[in-house]
């Protein structure tokens, strides 16, 4: 079985500041890793994913995440946030051979002007 | 527009009512999911259908009854719900339920359910 821990339930930052949302997972098998974003009054959208290959993956809106197998982490970063990044961010893990995506509890990112 | 449409977006019902939530996906996917999202709780997987067959029932009470008539449509029938069932119900689909693609979910905007 897999599990995901998002260490921060809320992260307030100022506009144009850098941000890191932390995600750690546990699994006895190899994993696929995902970050989803939920904007206010919407469903979740896939932001980026790690399936294989390069451990650094990027989204189209400037976010990136790095798969660190030794630290079992998949932290999400952005060097400069915008007001429009205000949302809840969910880290998720899928074990190879598993059929169920396991979500973390979410981190609410609030951007202050 | 994610290609997954949920109706209704908002529903208020009494504990003795019977209602249904509908989900339709236009992506040609083969797997469909119901999730429950409650305040201050992790996203809860309720049911999974793969090629119209139920492959997961995550110990959901029988007052929730899913139906998947084809790979494009998914229903959640609701009967004698409790106030604690009030939540956002999210439908999702994926191309398949195996491999990394099983993690690439496309969500609808959700149906906000309030049980009085």
């Amino acid at each position: 079985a897999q599990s995901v821990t998002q260490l921060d339930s809320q992260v307030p930052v100022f506009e144009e500041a850098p941000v890191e949302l932390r995600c750690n997972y546990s699994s006895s098998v190899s994993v696929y890793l995902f970050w989803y974003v939920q904007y206010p009054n919407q469903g979740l959208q896939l932001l980026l994913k790690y399936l294989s290959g390069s451990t650094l993956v990027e989204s189209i809106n400037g976010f990136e995440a790095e798969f660190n197998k030794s630290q079992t982490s998949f932290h999400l970063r952005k060097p400069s946030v915008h007001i429009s990044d205000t949302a809840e961010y969910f880290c998720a893990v899928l074990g190879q051979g598993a059929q169920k995506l396991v979500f973390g509890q979410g981190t609410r990112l609030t951007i202050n002007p | 527009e994610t290609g997954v449409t949920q109706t209704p977006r908002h529903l208020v019902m009494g504990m003795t009512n019977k209602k249904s939530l509908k989900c339709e996906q236009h992506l040609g996917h083969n797997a469909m999911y119901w999730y429950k999202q409650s305040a201050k709780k992790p996203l809860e997987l309720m049911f999974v259908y793969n090629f119209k067959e139920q492959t997961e029932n995550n110990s959901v009470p029988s007052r929730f009854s899913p139906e998947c008539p084809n790979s494009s449509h998914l229903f959640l029938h609701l009967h004698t719900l409790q106030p604690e069932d009030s939540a956002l119900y999210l439908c999702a689909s994926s191309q398949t339920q195996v491999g990394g693609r099983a993690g690439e979910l496309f969500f609808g905007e959700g149906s906000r359910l309030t049980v009085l």
Side-chain angles (χ1 to χ4, degrees):
Chain A
Q2 289 75 48
S3 67
V4 179
T5 302
Q6 290 184 244
L7 297 162
D8 305 295
S9 59
Q10 294 187 62
V11 173
V13 295
F14 287 105
E15 194 172 14
E16 298 184 8
V19 70
E20 177 180 80
L21 306 184
R22 296 179 293 170
C23 173
N24 287 91
Y25 69 92
S26 68
S27 176
S28 57
V29 299
S30 297
V31 295
Y32 306 109
L33 293 158
F34 306 83
W35 276 99
Y36 281 82
V37 57
Q38 185 176 30
Y39 298 105
N41 301 313
Q42 294 187 26
L44 281 70
Q45 302 172 37
L46 181 62
L47 184 63
L48 47 76
K49 64 192 179 198
Y50 169 77
L51 300 183
S52 65
S54 173
T55 57
L56 184 66
V57 291
E58 299 177 352
S59 73
I60 58 173
N61 59 350
F63 282 93
E64 65 178 31
E66 185 159 21
F67 170 49
N68 188 318
K69 188 175 181 179
S70 62
Q71 297 188 3
T72 60
S73 67
F74 192 55
H75 301 330
L76 182 70
R77 301 183 182 93
K78 188 171 185 179
S80 175
V81 295
H82 301 283
I83 291 284
S84 58
D85 294 322
T86 297
E88 187 145 19
Y89 292 80
F90 295 89
C91 182
V93 62
L94 177 68
Q96 288 192 11
Q99 294 183 317
K100 189 162 69 173
L101 190 62
V102 177
F103 284 90
Q105 292 186 295
T107 298
R108 186 170 299 277
L109 177 62
T110 306
I111 314 296
N112 299 306
Chain B
E1 180 61 48
T2 64
V4 179
T5 304
Q6 289 188 243
T7 54
R9 291 293 309 279
H10 299 273
L11 178 62
V12 178
M13 58 187 289
M15 290 192 284
T16 58
N17 292 157
K18 288 184 182 180
K19 297 285 184 184
S20 296
L21 306 181
K22 179 183 175 183
C23 176
E24 183 175 1
Q25 57 96 359
H26 306 277
L27 301 168
H29 289 168
N30 296 305
M32 296 188 76
Y33 310 75
W34 279 116
Y35 281 88
K36 177 183 179 182
Q37 187 176 31
S38 306
K40 303 191 192 243
K41 283 188 173 182
L43 208 59
E44 299 174 52
L45 178 63
M46 300 175 72
F47 301 104
V48 183
Y49 280 82
N50 195 37
F51 291 94
K52 300 189 301 177
E53 298 299 318
Q54 188 179 114
T55 56
E56 182 96 18
N57 177 337
N58 207 21
S59 303
V60 181
S62 60
R63 58 185 184 270
F64 294 91
S65 173
E67 179 189 0
C68 188
N70 54 61
S71 291
S72 298
H73 293 86
L74 185 64
F75 295 88
L76 189 62
H77 303 300
L78 314 170
H79 178 48
T80 59
L81 295 191
Q82 305 298 310
E84 60 264 29
D85 297 322
S86 298
L88 182 67
Y89 289 84
L90 292 165
C91 174
S93 70
S94 65
Q95 186 172 27
T96 178
Q97 206 196 347
V98 296
R101 306 306 292 269
E104 298 182 40
L105 298 176
F106 290 75
F107 284 84
E109 293 186 314
S111 293
R112 174 75 60 188
L113 173 66
T114 303
V115 182
L116 302 177

